[in-house]
Coordinates of all heavy atoms in Angstrom, one line a residue:
M64 N -5.5 14.0 -4.3 CA -5.2 14.4 -5.6 C -4.0 15.4 -5.6 O -3.2 15.3 -6.5 CB -6.4 15.1 -6.2 CG -6.2 15.4 -7.7 SD -6.1 13.9 -8.6 CE -5.9 14.5 -10.2
L65 N -3.9 16.2 -4.6 CA -2.8 17.1 -4.5 C -1.5 16.4 -4.3 O -0.4 16.8 -4.8 CB -3.1 18.2 -3.4 CG -2.0 19.3 -3.2 CD1 -2.0 20.1 -4.5 CD2 -2.3 20.1 -2.0
V66 N -1.5 15.3 -3.5 CA -0.3 14.5 -3.3 C 0.2 13.9 -4.6 O 1.4 13.9 -4.8 CB -0.6 13.4 -2.2 CG1 0.6 12.5 -2.0 CG2 -1.0 14.0 -0.9
F67 N -0.7 13.4 -5.4 CA -0.3 12.8 -6.6 C 0.3 13.8 -7.6 O 1.3 13.5 -8.3 CB -1.5 12.1 -7.3 CG -1.2 11.2 -8.4 CD1 -0.5 10.0 -8.2 CD2 -1.5 11.6 -9.7 CE1 -0.2 9.2 -9.3 CE2 -1.2 10.8 -10.8 CZ -0.5 9.6 -10.6
I68 N -0.3 15.0 -7.6 CA 0.3 16.1 -8.5 C 1.7 16.5 -8.0 O 2.6 16.7 -8.8 CB -0.7 17.3 -8.5 CG1 -2.0 16.9 -9.3 CG2 0.0 18.5 -9.2 CD1 -3.0 17.9 -9.2
S69 N 1.9 16.6 -6.7 CA 3.2 16.9 -6.2 C 4.2 15.8 -6.4 O 5.4 16.1 -6.7 CB 3.1 17.2 -4.7 OG 2.7 16.1 -4.0
I70 N 3.8 14.6 -6.4 CA 4.7 13.5 -6.7 C 5.1 13.5 -8.2 O 6.2 13.3 -8.6 CB 4.0 12.1 -6.4 CG1 4.0 11.9 -4.8 CG2 4.8 10.9 -6.9 CD1 3.2 10.7 -4.4
L71 N 4.1 13.8 -9.1 CA 4.4 14.0 -10.5 C 5.4 15.2 -10.7 O 6.3 15.1 -11.6 CB 3.2 14.2 -11.3 CG 2.3 12.9 -11.5 CD1 1.0 13.3 -12.3 CD2 3.1 11.8 -12.2
F72 N 5.2 16.2 -10.0 CA 6.1 17.4 -10.1 C 7.5 17.0 -9.6 O 8.5 17.4 -10.2 CB 5.6 18.5 -9.2 CG 6.5 19.7 -9.3 CD1 6.6 20.5 -10.4 CD2 7.3 20.1 -8.2 CE1 7.4 21.6 -10.4 CE2 8.1 21.2 -8.2 CZ 8.2 21.9 -9.3
M73 N 7.6 16.2 -8.6 CA 8.9 15.7 -8.1 C 9.6 14.8 -9.2 O 10.8 14.9 -9.4 CB 8.8 14.9 -6.8 CG 8.5 15.8 -5.6 SD 8.1 14.9 -4.1 CE 9.4 13.8 -3.9
M74 N 8.8 14.0 -9.8 CA 9.3 13.1 -10.9 C 9.8 14.0 -12.0 O 10.9 13.7 -12.6 CB 8.2 12.2 -11.4 CG 8.6 11.3 -12.5 SD 9.7 10.0 -12.0 CE 8.5 8.9 -11.2
Y75 N 9.1 15.0 -12.4 CA 9.5 15.9 -13.5 C 10.8 16.6 -13.1 O 11.7 16.7 -13.9 CB 8.4 16.9 -13.8 CG 8.9 17.9 -14.8 CD1 9.0 17.6 -16.2 CD2 9.2 19.2 -14.4 CE1 9.4 18.5 -17.1 CE2 9.6 20.2 -15.3 CZ 9.7 19.8 -16.6 OH 10.1 20.8 -17.5
F76 N 10.9 17.0 -11.9 CA 12.1 17.7 -11.4 C 13.3 16.7 -11.4 O 14.4 17.1 -11.8 CB 11.9 18.2 -10.0 CG 13.1 19.0 -9.4 CD1 13.5 20.2 -9.9 CD2 13.8 18.4 -8.4 CE1 14.6 20.8 -9.4 CE2 14.9 19.0 -7.9 CZ 15.3 20.3 -8.4
G77 N 13.1 15.5 -11.0 CA 14.2 14.5 -11.1 C 14.6 14.2 -12.5 O 15.8 14.1 -12.7
M78 N 13.7 14.1 -13.4 CA 14.1 13.9 -14.8 C 14.8 15.1 -15.4 O 15.8 14.9 -16.2 CB 12.9 13.6 -15.6 CG 12.3 12.2 -15.4 SD 10.9 11.9 -16.4 CE 10.3 10.3 -15.8
Y79 N 14.4 16.3 -15.0 CA 15.1 17.5 -15.5 C 16.5 17.6 -14.9 O 17.4 17.9 -15.6 CB 14.3 18.7 -15.0 CG 14.9 20.0 -15.4 CD1 14.8 20.5 -16.7 CD2 15.5 20.8 -14.5 CE1 15.4 21.7 -17.1 CE2 16.1 22.0 -14.8 CZ 16.0 22.4 -16.2 OH 16.6 23.6 -16.5
A80 N 16.7 17.2 -13.6 CA 18.0 17.2 -13.0 C 18.9 16.1 -13.7 O 20.1 16.4 -13.9 CB 17.9 16.9 -11.5
Y81 N 18.3 15.0 -14.1 CA 19.1 14.0 -14.7 C 19.5 14.4 -16.1 O 20.6 14.2 -16.5 CB 18.2 12.7 -14.9 CG 19.0 11.5 -15.5 CD1 20.0 10.9 -14.9 CD2 18.7 11.2 -16.8 CE1 20.7 9.9 -15.5 CE2 19.3 10.1 -17.4 CZ 20.3 9.5 -16.8 OH 21.0 8.5 -17.4
M82 N 18.6 15.1 -16.8 CA 19.0 15.5 -18.2 C 20.0 16.6 -18.2 O 20.8 16.8 -19.1 CB 17.7 16.0 -18.9 CG 16.8 14.9 -19.2 SD 17.5 13.7 -20.3 CE 16.2 12.5 -20.3
N83 N 20.1 17.4 -17.1 CA 21.0 18.5 -17.1 C 22.3 18.3 -16.3 O 23.1 19.2 -16.1 CB 20.3 19.8 -16.5 CG 19.3 20.4 -17.4 OD1 19.5 20.2 -18.6 ND2 18.3 21.0 -16.9
S84 N 22.5 17.1 -15.8 CA 23.7 16.7 -15.1 C 24.5 15.7 -15.8 O 24.8 14.6 -15.4 CB 23.3 16.2 -13.7 OG 22.6 15.0 -13.8
K85 N 25.0 16.1 -17.0 CA 25.8 15.2 -17.8 C 27.3 15.4 -17.6 O 28.0 14.7 -18.3 CB 25.4 15.4 -19.3 CG 24.0 15.0 -19.5 CD 23.7 15.0 -21.0 CE 22.2 14.5 -21.1 NZ 21.9 14.1 -22.4
K86 N 27.7 16.2 -16.7 CA 29.1 16.3 -16.4 C 29.6 15.3 -15.5 O 30.6 14.6 -15.7 CB 29.5 17.7 -15.9 CG 29.5 18.8 -16.9 CD 30.0 20.0 -16.3 CE 30.2 21.1 -17.3 NZ 30.7 22.3 -16.7
H87 N 28.9 15.1 -14.4 CA 29.4 14.2 -13.3 C 28.5 13.0 -13.2 O 27.3 13.1 -13.3 CB 29.3 14.9 -12.0 CG 30.3 16.1 -11.8 ND1 31.6 15.9 -11.6 CD2 30.1 17.4 -11.9 CE1 32.2 17.1 -11.5 NE2 31.3 18.0 -11.7
L88 N 29.2 11.9 -13.1 CA 28.4 10.6 -13.0 C 27.7 10.5 -11.6 O 26.6 9.9 -11.5 CB 29.4 9.4 -13.1 CG 28.8 8.0 -13.2 CD1 27.9 8.0 -14.4 CD2 29.9 7.0 -13.3
L89 N 28.3 11.1 -10.6 CA 27.7 11.0 -9.3 C 26.4 11.8 -9.3 O 25.4 11.3 -8.7 CB 28.6 11.6 -8.2 CG 28.1 11.6 -6.8 CD1 27.9 10.2 -6.3 CD2 29.1 12.3 -5.9
M90 N 26.3 12.9 -9.9 CA 25.0 13.7 -10.0 C 24.0 12.9 -10.8 O 22.8 13.0 -10.5 CB 25.3 15.1 -10.6 CG 26.0 16.0 -9.7 SD 25.3 16.2 -8.1 CE 23.8 17.1 -8.5
M91 N 24.4 12.2 -11.8 CA 23.5 11.4 -12.6 C 22.9 10.3 -11.7 O 21.7 10.0 -11.7 CB 24.1 10.8 -13.8 CG 24.4 11.9 -14.8 SD 25.3 11.3 -16.3 CE 24.0 10.5 -17.1
L92 N 23.7 9.6 -10.9 CA 23.3 8.6 -10.0 C 22.4 9.1 -8.9 O 21.4 8.5 -8.6 CB 24.5 7.9 -9.4 CG 25.3 7.0 -10.3 CD1 26.5 6.5 -9.6 CD2 24.5 5.8 -10.8
L93 N 22.7 10.3 -8.4 CA 21.8 10.9 -7.4 C 20.4 11.3 -8.0 O 19.4 11.1 -7.3 CB 22.4 12.1 -6.8 CG 23.5 11.9 -5.8 CD1 24.2 13.2 -5.4 CD2 23.0 11.2 -4.6
S94 N 20.4 11.7 -9.2 CA 19.1 12.0 -9.9 C 18.3 10.8 -10.1 O 17.1 10.8 -9.9 CB 19.4 12.7 -11.2 OG 20.1 13.9 -11.0
L95 N 19.0 9.7 -10.5 CA 18.3 8.4 -10.6 C 17.7 7.9 -9.3 O 16.6 7.3 -9.3 CB 19.2 7.3 -11.2 CG 19.5 7.5 -12.7 CD1 20.5 6.5 -13.2 CD2 18.2 7.3 -13.5
E96 N 18.4 8.1 -8.2 CA 17.9 7.7 -6.9 C 16.7 8.5 -6.5 O 15.8 8.0 -5.9 CB 19.0 7.8 -5.9 CG 20.1 6.7 -6.0 CD 19.4 5.3 -5.8 OE1 18.6 5.1 -4.9 OE2 19.8 4.5 -6.6
F97 N 16.8 9.8 -6.9 CA 15.6 10.7 -6.6 C 14.4 10.3 -7.4 O 13.3 10.2 -6.8 CB 16.0 12.1 -6.9 CG 14.9 13.1 -6.5 CD1 14.7 13.4 -5.2 CD2 14.1 13.7 -7.5 CE1 13.7 14.3 -4.8 CE2 13.1 14.6 -7.1 CZ 12.9 14.9 -5.8
I98 N 14.6 9.9 -8.6 CA 13.5 9.4 -9.4 C 12.9 8.1 -8.9 O 11.7 7.9 -8.8 CB 13.9 9.2 -10.9 CG1 14.2 10.6 -11.5 CG2 12.9 8.4 -11.7 CD1 14.9 10.5 -12.9
S99 N 13.8 7.2 -8.4 CA 13.3 5.9 -7.8 C 12.6 6.2 -6.5 O 11.6 5.5 -6.2 CB 14.4 4.9 -7.7 OG 15.4 5.4 -6.8
L100 N 13.0 7.2 -5.7 CA 12.3 7.5 -4.5 C 10.9 8.1 -4.8 O 10.0 7.8 -4.1 CB 13.1 8.5 -3.6 CG 14.3 7.9 -2.8 CD1 15.0 9.0 -2.2 CD2 13.7 6.9 -1.8
T101 N 10.8 8.9 -5.8 CA 9.5 9.4 -6.1 C 8.6 8.3 -6.7 O 7.4 8.3 -6.4 CB 9.6 10.5 -7.2 OG1 10.3 10.1 -8.3 CG2 10.2 11.8 -6.5
L102 N 9.2 7.3 -7.4 CA 8.4 6.2 -7.8 C 7.9 5.3 -6.6 O 6.8 4.8 -6.6 CB 9.2 5.3 -8.8 CG 9.3 5.7 -10.2 CD1 10.2 4.8 -11.0 CD2 7.9 5.7 -10.8
L103 N 8.8 5.2 -5.6 CA 8.4 4.5 -4.4 C 7.2 5.3 -3.7 O 6.3 4.7 -3.2 CB 9.6 4.4 -3.4 CG 9.3 3.8 -2.1 CD1 8.9 2.3 -2.3 CD2 10.5 3.9 -1.2
L104 N 7.3 6.6 -3.6 CA 6.2 7.4 -3.1 C 4.9 7.2 -3.9 O 3.8 7.1 -3.3 CB 6.6 8.9 -3.1 CG 7.5 9.3 -2.0 CD1 7.9 10.8 -2.2 CD2 6.8 9.2 -0.6
M105 N 5.0 7.1 -5.2 CA 3.9 7.0 -6.0 C 3.2 5.6 -5.8 O 2.0 5.5 -5.7 CB 4.2 7.2 -7.5 CG 3.0 7.2 -8.4 SD 3.5 7.4 -10.1 CE 4.2 9.0 -10.1
I106 N 4.1 4.6 -5.8 CA 3.6 3.2 -5.6 C 2.9 3.1 -4.2 O 1.8 2.5 -4.1 CB 4.7 2.2 -5.8 CG1 5.0 2.1 -7.2 CG2 4.3 0.8 -5.3 CD1 6.3 1.2 -7.5
S107 N 3.6 3.6 -3.2 CA 3.0 3.5 -1.8 C 1.7 4.3 -1.7 O 0.8 3.9 -1.0 CB 4.0 4.0 -0.8 OG 4.3 5.3 -1.0
Y108 N 1.6 5.5 -2.4 CA 0.4 6.2 -2.3 C -0.7 5.5 -3.0 O -1.9 5.4 -2.5 CB 0.6 7.6 -3.0 CG -0.6 8.4 -3.1 CD1 -1.2 9.0 -2.0 CD2 -1.2 8.6 -4.4 CE1 -2.3 9.8 -2.1 CE2 -2.4 9.4 -4.5 CZ -2.9 10.0 -3.4 OH -4.0 10.7 -3.5
L109 N -0.4 4.9 -4.2 CA -1.5 4.2 -4.9 C -1.9 2.9 -4.1 O -3.1 2.5 -4.1 CB -1.0 3.8 -6.3 CG -0.9 5.0 -7.3 CD1 -0.3 4.5 -8.6 CD2 -2.2 5.6 -7.5
L110 N -0.9 2.2 -3.5 CA -1.3 1.0 -2.8 C -2.1 1.4 -1.5 O -3.0 0.6 -1.1 CB 0.0 0.2 -2.4 CG 0.6 -0.5 -3.5 CD1 1.9 -1.2 -3.0 CD2 -0.3 -1.5 -4.2
L111 N -1.8 2.5 -0.9 CA -2.6 2.9 0.3 C -3.9 3.4 -0.1 O -4.9 3.2 0.7 CB -1.8 3.9 1.1 CG -0.6 3.5 1.8 CD1 0.1 4.6 2.5 CD2 -0.9 2.4 2.9
T112 N -4.1 3.9 -1.3 CA -5.4 4.4 -1.7 C -6.3 3.3 -2.1 O -7.5 3.3 -1.7 CB -5.2 5.3 -2.9 OG1 -4.3 6.4 -2.6 CG2 -6.5 5.9 -3.4
F113 N -5.8 2.3 -2.8 CA -6.6 1.2 -3.2 C -6.6 0.0 -2.4 O -7.2 -1.1 -2.7 CB -6.3 0.8 -4.7 CG -6.5 2.0 -5.6 CD1 -5.5 2.5 -6.4 CD2 -7.8 2.5 -5.8 CE1 -5.7 3.6 -7.2 CE2 -8.0 3.5 -6.7 CZ -7.0 4.1 -7.4
V114 N -5.8 0.0 -1.3 CA -5.7 -1.1 -0.3 C -5.4 -2.4 -0.9 O -6.1 -3.4 -0.8 CB -7.0 -1.2 0.6 CG1 -6.8 -2.1 1.7 CG2 -7.5 0.1 1.0
F115 N -4.2 -2.4 -1.6 CA -3.7 -3.7 -2.1 C -2.7 -4.2 -1.2 O -2.4 -3.7 -0.1 CB -3.1 -3.5 -3.5 CG -4.1 -3.3 -4.6 CD1 -4.1 -2.1 -5.3 CD2 -5.1 -4.2 -4.9 CE1 -5.1 -1.9 -6.3 CE2 -6.0 -4.0 -5.9 CZ -6.0 -2.8 -6.6
D116 N -2.0 -5.3 -1.6 CA -1.0 -5.9 -0.8 C 0.2 -5.1 -0.8 O 0.7 -4.6 -1.8 CB -0.7 -7.3 -1.4 CG 0.1 -8.2 -0.4 OD1 0.2 -7.8 0.8 OD2 0.7 -9.1 -0.9
N117 N 0.8 -4.9 0.4 CA 2.0 -4.0 0.5 C 3.3 -4.6 0.3 O 4.3 -4.0 0.5 CB 1.9 -3.3 1.9 CG 0.8 -2.4 2.1 OD1 0.3 -1.8 1.1 ND2 0.4 -2.2 3.3
I118 N 3.3 -5.9 -0.2 CA 4.6 -6.6 -0.4 C 5.3 -6.0 -1.6 O 6.5 -6.1 -1.7 CB 4.3 -8.1 -0.6 CG1 5.6 -8.9 -0.4 CG2 3.7 -8.4 -1.9 CD1 6.1 -9.0 1.0
L119 N 4.6 -5.3 -2.5 CA 5.2 -4.7 -3.7 C 6.2 -3.6 -3.3 O 7.2 -3.4 -3.9 CB 4.1 -4.2 -4.6 CG 3.3 -5.2 -5.3 CD1 2.2 -4.5 -6.1 CD2 4.2 -6.1 -6.2
I120 N 5.8 -2.9 -2.2 CA 6.7 -1.9 -1.7 C 8.0 -2.4 -1.3 O 9.1 -1.9 -1.5 CB 6.0 -1.1 -0.5 CG1 4.8 -0.4 -1.1 CG2 7.0 -0.1 0.1 CD1 4.0 0.3 0.0
I121 N 8.0 -3.6 -0.6 CA 9.3 -4.2 -0.1 C 10.1 -4.7 -1.3 O 11.3 -4.5 -1.3 CB 9.0 -5.3 0.8 CG1 8.3 -4.8 2.1 CG2 10.2 -6.1 1.2 CD1 7.8 -5.8 3.1
Y122 N 9.4 -5.2 -2.3 CA 10.2 -5.6 -3.5 C 10.8 -4.5 -4.2 O 12.0 -4.5 -4.7 CB 9.2 -6.3 -4.5 CG 8.8 -7.7 -4.1 CD1 7.5 -8.2 -4.5 CD2 9.6 -8.6 -3.4 CE1 7.1 -9.4 -4.1 CE2 9.2 -9.8 -3.0 CZ 7.9 -10.3 -3.4 OH 7.5 -11.5 -3.0
F123 N 10.1 -3.4 -4.3 CA 10.6 -2.2 -4.9 C 11.8 -1.6 -4.1 O 12.8 -1.1 -4.7 CB 9.5 -1.1 -5.2 CG 9.9 0.0 -6.1 CD1 10.0 -0.3 -7.4 CD2 10.2 1.2 -5.6 CE1 10.4 0.7 -8.3 CE2 10.6 2.2 -6.4 CZ 10.7 2.0 -7.8
I124 N 11.7 -1.6 -2.8 CA 12.8 -1.1 -2.0 C 14.1 -2.0 -2.2 O 15.2 -1.5 -2.3 CB 12.4 -1.1 -0.5 CG1 11.4 0.1 -0.3 CG2 13.6 -0.9 0.4 CD1 10.8 0.1 1.1
V125 N 13.9 -3.3 -2.3 CA 15.0 -4.2 -2.6 C 15.7 -3.9 -3.9 O 16.9 -3.8 -4.0 CB 14.6 -5.7 -2.5 CG1 15.6 -6.6 -3.0 CG2 14.2 -6.0 -1.1
I126 N 14.9 -3.6 -4.9 CA 15.4 -3.3 -6.2 C 16.1 -2.0 -6.2 O 17.2 -1.8 -6.8 CB 14.3 -3.3 -7.3 CG1 13.8 -4.7 -7.5 CG2 14.7 -2.7 -8.6 CD1 12.6 -4.9 -8.4
M127 N 15.6 -1.0 -5.4 CA 16.2 0.3 -5.3 C 17.6 0.2 -4.6 O 18.6 0.8 -5.0 CB 15.4 1.2 -4.5 CG 14.3 1.9 -5.2 SD 13.2 2.9 -4.2 CE 14.3 3.7 -3.1
V128 N 17.7 -0.7 -3.6 CA 19.0 -0.8 -2.9 C 20.0 -1.5 -3.8 O 21.1 -1.1 -3.9 CB 18.7 -1.7 -1.6 CG1 20.1 -2.1 -1.0 CG2 18.0 -0.8 -0.6
C129 N 19.6 -2.5 -4.6 CA 20.5 -3.2 -5.5 C 20.9 -2.2 -6.6 O 22.1 -2.2 -7.0 CB 19.8 -4.4 -6.2 SG 19.4 -5.7 -5.1
E130 N 20.1 -1.3 -7.1 CA 20.4 -0.3 -8.1 C 21.5 0.7 -7.5 O 22.4 1.0 -8.1 CB 19.2 0.4 -8.5 CG 19.5 1.6 -9.4 CD 18.5 2.7 -9.4 OE1 17.5 2.5 -8.7 OE2 18.7 3.7 -10.1
A131 N 21.2 1.1 -6.3 CA 22.1 2.0 -5.6 C 23.5 1.4 -5.4 O 24.6 2.1 -5.6 CB 21.6 2.5 -4.3
V132 N 23.6 0.2 -5.0 CA 24.8 -0.5 -4.7 C 25.6 -0.7 -6.0 O 26.8 -0.5 -6.1 CB 24.6 -1.8 -4.0 CG1 25.9 -2.7 -4.0 CG2 24.1 -1.6 -2.6
M133 N 24.9 -1.1 -7.1 CA 25.6 -1.3 -8.4 C 26.1 0.1 -8.9 O 27.2 0.1 -9.5 CB 24.6 -1.9 -9.4 CG 24.4 -3.4 -9.2 SD 23.4 -4.3 -10.4 CE 22.7 -3.1 -11.4
G134 N 25.3 1.1 -8.7 CA 25.8 2.4 -9.2 C 27.0 2.9 -8.4 O 28.0 3.4 -9.0
L135 N 27.0 2.7 -7.1 CA 28.2 3.1 -6.3 C 29.4 2.2 -6.6 O 30.6 2.7 -6.7 CB 27.9 3.0 -4.8 CG 27.0 4.1 -4.3 CD1 26.7 3.8 -2.8 CD2 27.7 5.4 -4.4
V136 N 29.2 0.9 -6.9 CA 30.4 0.1 -7.3 C 30.9 0.6 -8.7 O 32.2 0.7 -8.8 CB 29.9 -1.4 -7.4 CG1 30.9 -2.2 -8.1 CG2 29.7 -1.9 -6.0
L137 N 30.1 0.8 -9.6 CA 30.5 1.3 -10.9 C 31.2 2.7 -10.8 O 32.3 3.0 -11.4 CB 29.4 1.4 -11.9 CG 28.8 0.1 -12.4 CD1 27.6 0.4 -13.3 CD2 29.9 -0.6 -13.2
L138 N 30.7 3.6 -9.9 CA 31.3 4.9 -9.7 C 32.7 4.7 -9.1 O 33.7 5.4 -9.5 CB 30.4 5.7 -8.8 CG 31.0 7.1 -8.5 CD1 30.9 8.0 -9.7 CD2 30.2 7.7 -7.3
T139 N 32.8 3.8 -8.1 CA 34.1 3.5 -7.5 C 35.1 3.0 -8.5 O 36.3 3.4 -8.5 CB 34.0 2.5 -6.3 OG1 33.0 3.0 -5.4 CG2 35.3 2.3 -5.6
I140 N 34.7 2.1 -9.3 CA 35.6 1.5 -10.4 C 36.0 2.6 -11.3 O 37.2 2.6 -11.7 CB 34.9 0.3 -11.1 CG1 34.8 -0.9 -10.1 CG2 35.7 -0.1 -12.3 CD1 33.9 -2.0 -10.7
I141 N 35.1 3.4 -11.8 CA 35.5 4.5 -12.7 C 36.4 5.5 -12.1 O 37.4 5.9 -12.8 CB 34.2 5.1 -13.3 CG1 33.4 4.1 -14.2 CG2 34.5 6.4 -14.0 CD1 32.1 4.6 -14.6
I142 N 36.2 5.9 -10.9 CA 37.1 6.8 -10.2 C 38.5 6.2 -10.0 O 39.5 6.9 -10.2 CB 36.5 7.3 -8.9 CG1 35.3 8.2 -9.2 CG2 37.5 8.0 -8.0 CD1 34.6 8.7 -8.0
R143 N 38.5 4.9 -9.7 CA 39.9 4.3 -9.5 C 40.6 4.2 -10.8 O 41.8 4.2 -10.8 CB 39.7 3.0 -8.8 CG 39.4 3.1 -7.3 CD 39.5 1.8 -6.6 NE 39.1 2.0 -5.2 CZ 39.2 1.1 -4.3 NH1 39.6 -0.1 -4.7 NH2 38.9 1.3 -3.1
T144 N 39.9 3.9 -11.9 CA 40.6 3.7 -13.2 C 40.9 5.0 -13.9 O 41.9 5.1 -14.5 CB 39.8 2.7 -14.1 OG1 38.5 3.3 -14.3 CG2 39.7 1.4 -13.5
H145 N 39.9 5.9 -13.9 CA 40.1 7.2 -14.6 C 40.5 8.4 -13.8 O 40.9 9.4 -14.4 CB 38.8 7.5 -15.4 CG 38.4 6.4 -16.4 ND1 39.2 6.1 -17.5 CD2 37.4 5.6 -16.4 CE1 38.7 5.2 -18.2 NE2 37.6 4.8 -17.6
G146 N 40.4 8.3 -12.5 CA 40.8 9.4 -11.7 C 39.7 10.4 -11.3 O 39.9 11.2 -10.4
S147 N 38.6 10.5 -12.0 CA 37.5 11.4 -11.6 C 36.2 10.9 -12.1 O 36.2 9.8 -12.8 CB 37.8 12.8 -12.2 OG 37.7 12.7 -13.6
D148 N 35.1 11.6 -11.8 CA 33.8 11.1 -12.3 C 33.3 12.0 -13.4 O 32.1 12.0 -13.7 CB 32.8 11.1 -11.1 CG 32.5 12.4 -10.6 OD1 33.3 13.3 -10.7 OD2 31.4 12.6 -10.0
Y149 N 34.2 12.8 -14.0 CA 33.8 13.5 -15.2 C 33.5 12.6 -16.3 O 34.3 11.7 -16.6 CB 34.9 14.5 -15.6 CG 35.0 15.7 -14.7 CD1 36.2 15.9 -14.0 CD2 34.0 16.6 -14.4 CE1 36.4 16.9 -13.2 CE2 34.1 17.6 -13.6 CZ 35.4 17.8 -13.0 OH 35.5 18.9 -12.1
I150 N 32.4 12.8 -17.0 CA 32.1 11.8 -18.1 C 32.9 12.1 -19.3 O 33.3 11.2 -20.0 CB 30.6 11.9 -18.3 CG1 29.8 11.4 -17.1 CG2 30.2 11.2 -19.6 CD1 28.5 10.8 -17.3
K151 N 33.1 13.4 -19.6 CA 33.8 13.7 -20.8 C 35.3 13.4 -20.7 O 36.0 13.2 -21.8 CB 33.6 15.2 -21.2 CG 32.2 15.5 -21.5 CD 32.0 16.9 -22.0 CE 30.6 17.0 -22.4 NZ 30.3 18.3 -22.9
S152 N 35.9 13.3 -19.5 CA 37.3 13.0 -19.4 C 37.6 11.5 -19.5 O 38.7 11.1 -19.7 CB 37.9 13.6 -18.1 OG 37.4 12.9 -17.0
S153 N 36.6 10.7 -19.2 CA 36.8 9.3 -19.3 C 36.5 8.7 -20.7 O 35.9 9.4 -21.5 CB 36.0 8.6 -18.2 OG 34.6 8.8 -18.5
I154 N 36.9 7.5 -20.9 CA 36.6 6.8 -22.1 C 35.5 5.9 -22.0 O 35.5 4.8 -22.5 CB 37.9 6.1 -22.6 CG1 39.1 7.0 -22.4 CG2 37.9 5.7 -24.1 CD1 40.5 6.3 -22.6
L155 N 34.4 6.3 -21.3 CA 33.3 5.4 -21.1 C 32.5 5.2 -22.3 O 32.1 4.0 -22.6 CB 32.4 6.0 -20.0 CG 32.9 6.1 -18.6 CD1 32.0 6.8 -17.7 CD2 33.2 4.7 -18.1
F156 N 32.2 6.2 -23.1 CA 31.3 6.1 -24.2 C 32.0 5.9 -25.5 O 31.3 6.0 -26.6 CB 30.3 7.3 -24.2 CG 29.5 7.4 -23.0 CD1 29.7 8.5 -22.2 CD2 28.6 6.5 -22.7 CE1 28.9 8.6 -21.0 CE2 27.8 6.6 -21.5 CZ 28.0 7.7 -20.7
K157 N 33.2 5.7 -25.6 CA 34.0 5.5 -26.8 C 34.1 4.0 -27.2 O 34.6 3.7 -28.2 CB 35.3 6.1 -26.7 CG 35.3 7.6 -26.6 CD 36.7 8.2 -26.6 CE 36.6 9.7 -26.5 NZ 37.9 10.3 -26.4
C158 N 33.6 3.1 -26.4 CA 33.7 1.7 -26.7 C 32.6 1.3 -27.7 O 31.5 1.7 -27.7 CB 33.5 0.9 -25.4 SG 34.7 1.1 -24.2

């Protein structure tokens, strides 16, 4: 039970970091990765507790890797076109 509460605390901390990092796109992506890692911990804890099939963990890891790669590609494109990863200096949300 203590492990589950600590995982929920980590999830809350990741969401708090995501909400307060609106200047840099890289910090937002790192916060999203932290949230997905805590979700992976939660899923693996629940699967180990109830002894279900562990193939869901592998599916979730594949989805996490795809999310990370897409985020890095978008970050690279934005830095090459706009010169920095500041959200307010780019024209991302004006479209």
Side-chain angles (χ1 to χ4, degrees):
M64 187 67 180
L65 184 63
V66 174
F67 191 71
I68 292 172
S69 63
I70 290 172
L71 286 177
F72 179 72
M73 288 171 55
M74 178 73 76
Y75 175 73
F76 181 70
M78 287 182 188
Y79 179 76
Y81 180 74
M82 294 296 174
N83 287 333
S84 62
K85 295 191 178 194
K86 280 187 175 181
H87 294 282
L88 188 62
L89 181 62
M90 289 303 295
M91 291 176 76
L92 289 173
L93 284 173
S94 299
L95 284 174
E96 287 300 316
F97 184 74
I98 290 170
S99 62
L100 280 175
T101 55
L102 280 174
L103 178 67
L104 281 173
M105 188 180 298
I106 288 173
S107 63
Y108 175 73
L109 290 174
L110 288 178
L111 289 175
T112 303
F113 297 118
V114 190
F115 287 119
D116 194 18
N117 291 334
I118 196 74
L119 292 174
I120 296 174
I121 295 173
Y122 289 147
F123 193 74
I124 289 174
V125 168
I126 290 172
M127 279 178 39
V128 168
C129 292
E130 173 206 358
V132 168
M133 286 186 347
L135 286 176
V136 166
L137 288 174
L138 181 70
T139 306
I140 289 171
I141 289 170
I142 287 176
R143 285 187 181 188
T144 57
H145 297 296
S147 68
D148 68 332
Y149 290 119
I150 296 209
K151 292 186 179 184
S152 68
S153 64
I154 314 171
L155 291 176
F156 298 115
K157 292 183 181 179
C158 297

